[in-house]
Amino acid sequence: DAKVEEVAAKLRARGEAKLALMFENCYPNTLDTTVHYRVNAAGEDETFVYTGDIHAMWLRDSAAQVWPYLAFVKEDEPLRKMIRGVVLKQFELIRLDPYANAFNDLPADEAAQPGKMMDGVQVKKGVFERKYELDSLCYPIRLAHGYWKSSGDASVFDGRWVDTLRLILDVMREQ
């Protein structure tokens, strides 16, 4: 909030009142309307990011939505935990189905259950859309790296990271 006020004040000082108002309304919008942070049953940060007006999380879009906030993770602990939660959630979702690009917000045990048929393939219940896109697997890697560079927190690079990267590389080789 302090940074939003600071930037808006600078814009107003330059005679850009309309731009300042737009910035004040738009910059915090993702945090206010699409981010759903919680601590999961394992005690880990977990963040599900709705993408626009659809209550599903696209891997690429969720990474892009939180990217502008990386600059502030060192000075804002709740923001750091929220983005850490996005990174961890993306890893979990990729492990659920690396060919899916969008997911429903379901508990991990429920999401792993068989769901509907899509294009002749039985998919897990947590999958919202199963359309393979190379960038859906690249954006979470970019976000994890950006998170680490911005925060200095390497805790996301654990066994789950290794398993997720192996899966991503396997799919990339196949495709």
Side-chain angles (χ1 to χ4, degrees):
D1 289 340
K3 185 54 78 173
V4 170
E5 290 173 20
E6 176 189 331
V7 170
K10 287 179 181 179
L11 289 169
R12 282 190 186 87
R14 293 182 190 163
E16 298 285 352
K18 199 172 192 178
L19 186 57
L21 182 61
M22 286 175 50
F23 181 78
E24 287 173 319
N25 289 327
C26 294
Y27 192 76
N29 189 40
T30 292
L31 300 176
D32 295 340
T33 64
T34 66
V35 170
H36 301 275
Y37 171 80
R38 58 195 167 240
V39 176
N40 66 20
E44 289 276 6
D45 298 313
E46 180 178 278
T47 308
F48 195 88
V49 181
Y50 292 148
T51 307
D53 60 345
I54 300 171
H55 289 268
M57 181 170 169
W58 271 256
L59 294 172
R60 176 194 56 226
D61 297 2
S62 60
Q65 282 174 258
V66 300
W67 186 266
Y69 306 109
L70 285 174
F72 306 107
V73 296
K74 276 195 175 180
E75 60 201 52
D76 188 327
E77 182 65 11
L79 190 63
R80 186 195 66 75
K81 292 174 75 162
M82 182 277 292
I83 295 177
R84 181 179 186 275
V86 175
V87 171
L88 295 176
K89 187 66 175 177
Q90 288 180 334
F91 294 170
E92 175 189 320
L93 296 173
I94 291 168
R95 289 191 309 274
L96 178 65
D97 185 346
Y99 285 92
N101 59 321
F103 299 85
N104 295 309
D105 190 13
L106 298 174
D109 58 342
E110 186 180 338
Q113 300 302 313
K116 58 189 170 194
M117 295 290 289
M118 286 186 188
D119 298 325
V121 176
Q122 181 78 40
V123 299
K124 295 182 178 160
K125 194 174 183 180
V127 173
F128 177 83
E129 184 174 80
R130 192 171 201 262
K131 294 181 181 174
Y132 171 75
E133 298 171 327
L134 179 60
D135 58 343
S136 289
L137 296 176
C138 294
Y139 268 76
I141 296 169
R142 178 181 183 248
L143 180 62
H145 179 262
Y147 169 77
W148 166 66
K149 291 295 281 186
S150 298
S151 69
D153 176 15
S155 69
V156 297
F157 301 122
D158 59 9
R160 296 170 292 188
W161 164 255
V162 173
D163 293 344
T164 304
L165 272 191
R166 282 189 181 129
L167 192 55
I168 288 171
L169 290 173
D170 288 346
V171 169
M172 287 178 173
R173 284 184 194 110
E174 285 177 14
Q175 296 307 311

